[in-house]
Amino acid sequence: MFTLPLRRLLGGRRPQRLVLLGLFLLTGWFVVHTHRQRQQQQPLYVPMAEYAELLAARAARPSPWPTTPTMQWQASAADHLEIALLQQHKHPRTSTSPSQLWADRQMAVRRAAKHAWSAYAANALASDEYNAVSRTGTNHTARGIGYFIADVLDSLVIMGLEEEYRVARDTLVGYLTFDQRGSVSLFETTIRVLGGLLAAYHWSGESDQELLRLAVELGERLAVSFNTTTGIPPETAILRSDGMPVAYLSSTAEVGTLQLEFRYLAKLTGRHEEFRRPVDRISQLLHAAEKPDYLAPIYMNAQTARFVPTADIRVGSRGDSYYEYLLKQYLQTQQTEPAFLERYAAAMEGVKKHLVARSMRLNMTFVGELVDMPGTRGQQGQGQGRQMQQGQGQGQQGPKFKPKMDHLVCFLAGNLALGATMGRPLSAIDPRALSASAREDLVLARQLAETCTQMYFDAPTGLAPELVHIWHPSLQPPPETSDLLSASGDLLAYRADRHSLLRPETVESLFILWRITGEPRWREHGWRIFEAFERWTRLDEGYAGLVDVTEMPPVRRIDRMETFWIAETLKYLYLLFDGEEAGEGKVPLTRYVFNTEAHPLPVFKW
């Protein structure tokens, strides 16, 4: 309504009122339009001088392997310009698809989760694993450890599957006990069962004491594994044991991916000596152990707390979540422990210098591996013959770069984006507050995400294989066109690597990139991937992986519906289609940190 002075101004004869009203509206439009133009005319902030200094410092840092060429990946000026445009809203931020369409697509994911759970509940309720082809369940111990149910419980909550959650929760609480004989994977049980119980407890409003009781009981039994001479645990945990465990070789990713869960358990219970101190000690040992350019070999000698110098270096299997948790430990305690961020930043510098490369024909960005480390001759059995075949003689001074990328590596795209903005939408950050390193991380994140989605789109089924090799000068032997996923592409899938396990890492990164950049392409990519899953992996009684993603039609299936199908893949897809703008939706990235099994745990301060 107009104010009284304005009413008086518009008083009098009707034509005069209309003219004055028109002038008033025109003036308002001019003021708003001029303000917007001035905003748009503000120069883009592209700190290329700062980035040049960053590149110079990286190049000047001595390489641990002088005879091994370093990779030459770097972000171009055009790449930096795209980030600047995203920050100033000069990139389309809203999909042309109506919001109702995304809501419908989110419900399609919810129906898929309901279908998967219903098949498990009908055929294998309380079992640790579900085999969707044979419609049977299997256990990791004689009685089972709640492996499946604990892993999917918070997904059922987040997706609003209330009746399914009630059945799952009551089955878990009424049936499960950890007081039983048997050994389990320390890593998998921590991230899936302990992480799942803790997340479900939180999403109950931190009111379901039975879930907390189970988490504490499991934590107590798993924590016995930390009582080794060095503090580095073995890869397996004995559920009913009061002796000292013995560890020899431990996977770097597995011992470096226990911290979020046990630190949160310590926060909830106040039992820091039992739950927090051991995993903090592991973190310190991982940090103190010698690493070439901050890159951790994939095995640690648990007897000496030193990395095995002859072990491969990679961001894929046995390496991946070590790097993930460097950042996420910093985020978990609301960015109050900067040592974790420093370790993460140093590691990412090593990744960029030694592991990031581009393919030969299409210039696709990927993350490779370092293999045949110096000193491996005669120490890895058949490795000696392999090195001779590859021309590594007695004078070998450095490792070989291998252009191979696991699907597991695809988590890195989301992790880089998360570390660049600490979970905040890019448009909400002052351009000058974003460092050149953070901008580079965003560039790399977006390029890796495109490569990871291409792993899907190049395959005839639209589903990615377990890993790919990339057409690159270092690829030996040279590629055969029959191994290319697409005749015009750069991604090769050898016969042994063509299976799909319904993995989550690519859609995980799409979800994080959508939340941070607001670019609609990440959602469109996610929907296309989901449609391929629905078309080729859905069965009458659940979902099953494929033996060969290049086989059309794909008639051979893997008799396993992995727990991470509901716990991670479908959860990330559900959240990807949630909200209308970047930063919106359930589970805000500034208030939660996802463990490596996609269990959202709240951030906190000690």
Side-chain angles (χ1 to χ4, degrees):
M1 297 178 64
F2 293 134
T3 61
L4 182 60
L6 189 57
R7 285 177 182 272
R8 289 174 178 171
L9 178 65
L10 297 178
R13 290 180 296 177
R14 182 179 180 86
Q16 292 176 326
R17 291 201 303 269
L18 291 175
V19 170
L20 289 172
L21 178 60
L23 288 172
F24 174 75
L25 294 174
L26 183 63
T27 302
W29 174 86
F30 178 77
V31 170
V32 171
H33 181 69
T34 302
H35 176 69
R36 287 179 177 172
Q37 276 194 324
R38 286 176 179 173
Q39 280 189 319
Q40 293 174 353
Q41 288 171 359
Q42 291 177 357
L44 294 172
Y45 181 64
V46 184
M48 294 308 297
E50 181 186 350
Y51 185 55
E53 294 176 3
L54 176 69
L55 292 176
R58 184 179 301 156
R61 195 172 67 247
S63 171
W65 312 289
T67 61
T68 299
T70 57
M71 299 298 103
Q72 299 300 318
W73 180 89
Q74 64 184 56
S76 68
D79 294 329
H80 281 276
L81 181 60
E82 285 191 24
I83 302 302
L85 289 169
L86 280 173
Q87 285 197 284
Q88 293 203 6
H89 300 268
K90 292 184 179 180
H91 188 287
R93 294 188 48 75
T94 311
S95 173
T96 55
S97 303
S99 58
Q100 185 57 48
L101 176 60
W102 290 111
D104 292 342
R105 289 177 172 181
Q106 187 183 45
M107 288 302 101
V109 176
R110 185 178 184 268
R111 288 192 296 272
K114 184 181 178 71
H115 175 71
W117 166 262
S118 298
Y120 165 78
N123 298 297
L125 187 63
S127 296
D128 287 340
E129 303 278 6
Y130 176 51
N131 310 310
V133 176
S134 60
R135 303 182 184 183
T136 59
T138 54
N139 285 323
H140 293 283
T141 62
R143 185 179 176 87
I145 57 170
Y147 199 73
F148 193 104
I149 295 180
D151 205 15
V152 308
L153 206 54
D154 62 346
S155 291
L156 301 179
V157 174
I158 289 169
M159 295 185 193
L161 294 169
E162 296 178 3
E163 178 59 23
E164 290 77 6
Y165 172 80
R166 184 191 64 77
V167 171
R169 183 266 178 203
D170 291 350
T171 301
L172 201 64
V173 170
Y175 177 82
L176 181 61
T177 177
F178 297 112
D179 184 16
Q180 54 179 299
R181 294 184 180 277
S183 60
V184 296
S185 164
L186 174 62
F187 164 72
E188 296 289 358
T189 306
T190 296
I191 66 171
R192 300 194 196 206
V193 185
L194 181 58
L197 289 169
L198 290 170
Y201 169 70
H202 170 76
W203 287 90
S204 75
E206 298 194 351
S207 63
D208 194 329
Q209 294 302 311
E210 288 300 305
L211 294 177
L212 181 59
R213 176 187 63 79
L214 287 172
V216 172
E217 181 189 349
L218 179 59
E220 290 171 343
R221 293 178 182 275
L222 296 180
V224 174
S225 298
F226 303 137
N227 297 328
T228 63
T229 54
T230 61
I232 298 297
E235 293 187 349
T236 57
I238 301 173
L239 292 176
R240 188 184 285 172
S241 173
D242 56 3
M244 176 176 284
V246 178
Y248 296 100
L249 282 185
S250 294
S251 161
T252 299
E254 294 190 5
V255 299
T257 313
L258 307 168
Q259 287 74 9
L260 295 186
E261 298 80 4
F262 276 95
R263 284 160 67 88
Y264 183 45
L265 185 59
K267 174 66 176 177
L268 291 174
T269 62
R271 294 163 63 176
H272 294 266
E273 286 295 320
E274 185 175 3
F275 296 138
R276 178 187 174 188
R277 184 179 292 276
V279 293
D280 281 355
R281 174 170 171 76
I282 293 172
S283 293
Q284 185 57 39
L285 289 171
L286 289 168
H287 172 62
E290 183 179 355
K291 297 178 288 294
D293 220 352
Y294 304 99
L295 296 175
I298 60 173
Y299 283 106
M300 171 169 268
N301 184 328
Q303 300 284 310
T304 62
R306 295 178 180 175
F307 287 111
V308 177
T310 56
D312 294 347
I313 288 176
R314 58 175 177 255
V315 187
S317 61
R318 298 193 175 276
D320 49 357
S321 47
Y322 159 74
Y323 299 98
E324 178 185 358
Y325 272 34
L326 289 178
L327 171 66
K328 289 185 174 180
Q329 287 179 82
Y330 174 67
L331 296 176
Q332 184 181 39
T333 53
Q334 297 187 32
Q335 304 172 42
T336 58
E337 298 175 277
F340 291 122
L341 182 62
E342 293 168 5
R343 297 169 193 175
Y344 168 75
M348 290 304 99
E349 278 293 301
V351 168
K352 293 172 193 174
K353 182 167 183 173
H354 301 285
L355 301 182
V356 180
R358 297 185 190 273
S359 67
M360 282 188 65
R361 297 194 298 179
L362 301 182
N363 211 34
M364 300 172 69
T365 300
F366 68 96
V367 178
E369 304 177 356
L370 295 177
V371 300
D372 294 341
M373 304 299 287
T376 56
R377 171 173 292 281
Q379 298 184 31
Q380 292 185 341
Q382 297 178 352
Q384 180 174 357
R386 183 178 66 252
Q387 288 175 10
M388 291 292 289
Q389 180 180 356
Q390 294 174 341
Q392 298 289 337
Q394 293 285 351
Q396 178 190 7
Q397 299 296 316
K400 281 188 59 178
F401 178 79
K402 186 175 184 178
K404 163 183 166 284
M405 190 166 86
D406 299 350
H407 188 281
L408 291 167
V409 175
C410 291
F411 89 93
L412 187 61
N415 218 62
L416 285 164
L418 187 65
T421 72
M422 302 302 155
R424 296 172 62 196
L426 188 57
S427 60
I429 300 174
D430 185 323
R432 294 183 179 274
L434 201 64
S435 69
S437 178
R439 290 169 183 272
E440 182 186 55
D441 284 354
L442 283 168
V443 170
L444 181 54
R446 293 164 82 236
Q447 291 181 2
L448 283 177
E450 288 293 351
T451 299
C452 288
T453 54
Q454 207 60 45
M455 289 169 64
Y456 287 80
F457 302 157
D458 275 4
T461 57
L463 294 174
E466 180 70 0
L467 62 91
V468 294
H469 288 76
I470 295 88
W471 198 329
H472 183 267
S474 63
L475 185 63
Q476 295 295 330
E480 296 183 10
T481 55
S482 60
D483 291 320
L484 287 168
L485 282 176
S486 169
S488 60
D490 279 349
L491 304 178
L492 301 100
Y494 301 137
R495 189 170 300 279
D497 309 325
R498 293 176 183 171
H499 53 286
S500 168
L501 301 177
L502 317 179
R503 285 202 182 274
E505 291 79 18
T506 294
V507 295
E508 171 187 358
S509 286
L510 297 181
F511 157 65
I512 295 173
L513 280 164
W514 158 251
R515 284 285 183 91
I516 287 175
T517 71
E519 295 174 277
R521 60 170 159 162
W522 308 124
R523 282 181 140 182
E524 297 290 355
H525 288 343
W527 178 249
R528 185 173 168 185
I529 290 170
F530 175 71
E531 285 187 306
F533 277 130
E534 280 290 284
R535 183 175 184 183
W536 300 118
T537 70
R538 183 180 176 115
L539 304 175
D540 290 340
E541 294 292 330
Y543 292 80
L546 302 182
V547 173
D548 188 341
V549 298
T550 69
E551 185 179 75
M552 285 295 289
V555 296
R556 295 180 295 161
R557 289 183 168 81
I558 299 170
D559 191 14
R560 177 66 60 85
M561 185 176 80
E562 295 283 356
T563 67
F564 55 65
W565 169 243
I566 301 176
E568 296 188 76
T569 308
L570 291 178
K571 181 188 293 167
Y572 281 129
L573 284 165
Y574 181 85
L575 293 174
L576 173 62
F577 304 144
D578 193 38
E580 296 186 16
E581 292 289 341
E584 293 181 353
K586 296 180 180 179
V587 199
L589 295 178
T590 53
R591 292 171 48 199
Y592 289 89
V593 59
F594 287 85
N595 86 335
T596 198
E597 191 70 10
H599 295 305
L601 305 175
V603 299
F604 60 84
K605 290 183 179 179
W606 294 116

